[in-house]
Amino acid sequence: LLRFIHQLDEAKKMMMHRRLLLLASLSLSCSLVSAFSSSSPQQQHLPNYLPNNPDDVVRQAATSITNAYDCGVYLQTIRLPLSQAIYGNKEESFVADRAIGWQGGPMETYRYLSPMVNNLLPRIRTANNTAGLNIKVREQILLDFDGSSLQTSEHPAGALYDIQALLQPNTDGYYIKTIQAIEEQFCNTKKADKPNRLFLLVNPAWRDKSSFGIFGAQKAQELILDRYETTYALDQFIVRGRQISLLKCWSSDWGLYAVVNNGGDGKDKSMPAELITSYATRPEYKDIDAALKGVVSK
């Protein structure tokens, strides 16, 4: 019995040693990423390639979210593209300075967003071993007229590695309370030796604190905007009559992509989009317009 207890203690020590080595390696890798971005301004985290179909978007987003999670970012905001242009060859009516392709509201965008997130969640790596079992995803509709829902991926390695994603929350107080409840009941494991669970805000309806109005701005800034880091975003717009894309991957800058084809209209899908420039923070319309003005002719 004493030998068994001694062997058990040794096994526990070995498991703890392995866990510390893993945490140290993750910390080192994250430190190297930070050091590289600060010491190499010429090569400072250029954005990744621009995806042109839903599968590429999901793969790229999953990698970005996983990398951030590995470095301890458990509260994340992501924005997936809701342009019908990326889902097929539909000819669209282009309107300047608006998201491409959507005439309906959140109930329509939900039809495209929900299956995309359902495909994304199992690809996010929160544990290395699934024991050959599939990750299950279940969904709970919240407010159907808002097109909002809560998706949960259930990991076969245990509940500690589950993920929750809140789709299309808006500035209504209901969603502020919902986010607080999910943080308290799901994300925060309240265990010093256990990581918090990953919680995603997917395509929220706000951009900055001004979206919440005068009375809700400060609270939103403290509870959400200052705490949920944008780890992946792909936005598409029309500026100067041509389709442009803004891509953000963790921990890259924002990249501005556009088709530059010697004075063409920029809508030729056979032409690859080029990286025009990058920004440390999400650029405003005037910044995008100025950048395009210098590289394309009308």
Side-chain angles (χ1 to χ4, degrees):
L1 180 61
L2 290 175
R3 175 181 291 181
F4 174 76
I5 294 174
H6 177 72
Q7 290 175 342
L8 186 61
D9 288 341
E10 289 298 319
K12 288 182 178 180
K13 289 179 181 179
M14 184 174 295
M15 290 178 63
M16 182 61 70
H17 180 66
R18 288 176 178 175
R19 179 176 294 178
L20 290 174
L21 286 176
L22 176 60
L23 291 174
S25 64
L26 289 175
S27 177
L28 177 60
S29 63
C30 294
S31 298
L32 289 174
V33 167
S34 176
F36 176 79
S37 62
S38 61
S39 63
S40 305
Q42 296 84 358
Q43 304 178 16
Q44 182 180 6
H45 284 212
L46 293 177
N48 291 275
Y49 71 93
L50 182 68
N52 58 12
N53 62 68
D55 287 339
D56 283 350
V57 170
V58 167
R59 281 192 292 267
Q60 188 179 60
T63 299
S64 185
I65 294 166
T66 299
N67 289 341
Y69 172 80
D70 285 343
C71 286
V73 184
Y74 306 119
L75 304 177
Q76 302 185 26
T77 294
I78 66 169
R79 296 184 183 276
L80 302 175
L82 291 182
S83 163
Q84 289 178 338
I86 204 167
Y87 301 106
N89 295 318
K90 179 178 178 180
E91 187 65 27
E92 301 177 82
S93 299
F94 292 95
V95 180
D97 197 23
R98 65 179 288 270
I100 300 173
W102 294 99
Q103 301 300 324
M107 294 176 66
E108 181 186 1
T109 56
Y110 169 79
R111 292 190 298 109
Y112 288 86
L113 182 63
S114 176
M116 202 172 188
V117 176
N118 190 278
N119 187 22
L120 168 66
L121 293 184
R123 301 193 186 194
I124 300 170
R125 180 182 52 75
T126 54
N128 291 323
N129 187 11
T130 63
L133 301 175
N134 293 328
I135 296 175
K136 297 180 180 179
V137 179
R138 56 183 174 85
E139 183 169 29
Q140 175 188 355
I141 301 298
L142 299 181
L143 300 178
D144 56 355
F145 51 84
D146 280 344
S148 61
S149 71
L150 180 67
Q151 290 195 15
T152 303
S153 70
E154 299 175 342
H155 202 287
L160 181 63
Y161 306 104
D162 290 354
I163 304 171
Q164 286 199 332
L166 179 60
L167 279 62
Q168 299 194 137
N170 60 42
T171 58
D172 189 273
Y174 165 81
Y175 293 104
I176 301 295
K177 294 178 182 178
T178 299
I179 290 170
Q180 289 178 300
I182 292 172
E183 283 189 28
E184 177 66 22
Q185 299 170 16
F186 172 81
C187 183
N188 186 4
T189 61
K190 300 179 181 178
K191 297 179 181 179
D193 60 336
K194 302 290 185 182
N196 287 339
R197 295 185 183 97
L198 177 59
F199 178 37
L200 305 174
L201 300 181
V202 185
N203 289 42
W206 55 80
R207 285 293 180 187
D208 52 39
K209 67 179 183 179
S210 65
S211 302
F212 292 86
I214 297 176
F215 299 105
Q218 188 60 36
K219 182 178 181 180
Q221 186 73 45
E222 295 173 356
L223 293 179
I224 300 175
L225 301 178
D226 286 344
R227 300 175 61 239
Y228 285 79
E229 184 172 353
T230 298
T231 57
Y232 185 80
L234 178 54
D235 297 333
Q236 295 178 313
F237 300 92
I238 294 299
V239 179
R240 291 186 169 267
R242 58 180 73 230
Q243 181 177 324
I244 66 97
S245 298
L246 281 175
L247 175 63
K248 164 69 177 178
C249 291
W250 198 90
S251 57
S252 303
D253 288 339
W254 289 82
L256 172 63
Y257 290 83
V259 174
V260 182
N261 55 355
N262 299 324
D265 60 9
K267 303 173 192 174
D268 184 358
K269 293 183 180 180
S270 65
M271 297 292 294
E274 300 178 18
L275 176 63
I276 305 302
T277 187
S278 61
Y279 307 87
T281 59
R282 191 181 190 279
E284 297 180 1
Y285 176 85
K286 62 181 181 180
D287 302 316
I288 298 172
D289 182 65
L292 288 179
K293 186 177 181 180
V295 296
V296 299
S297 58
K298 289 294 291 176

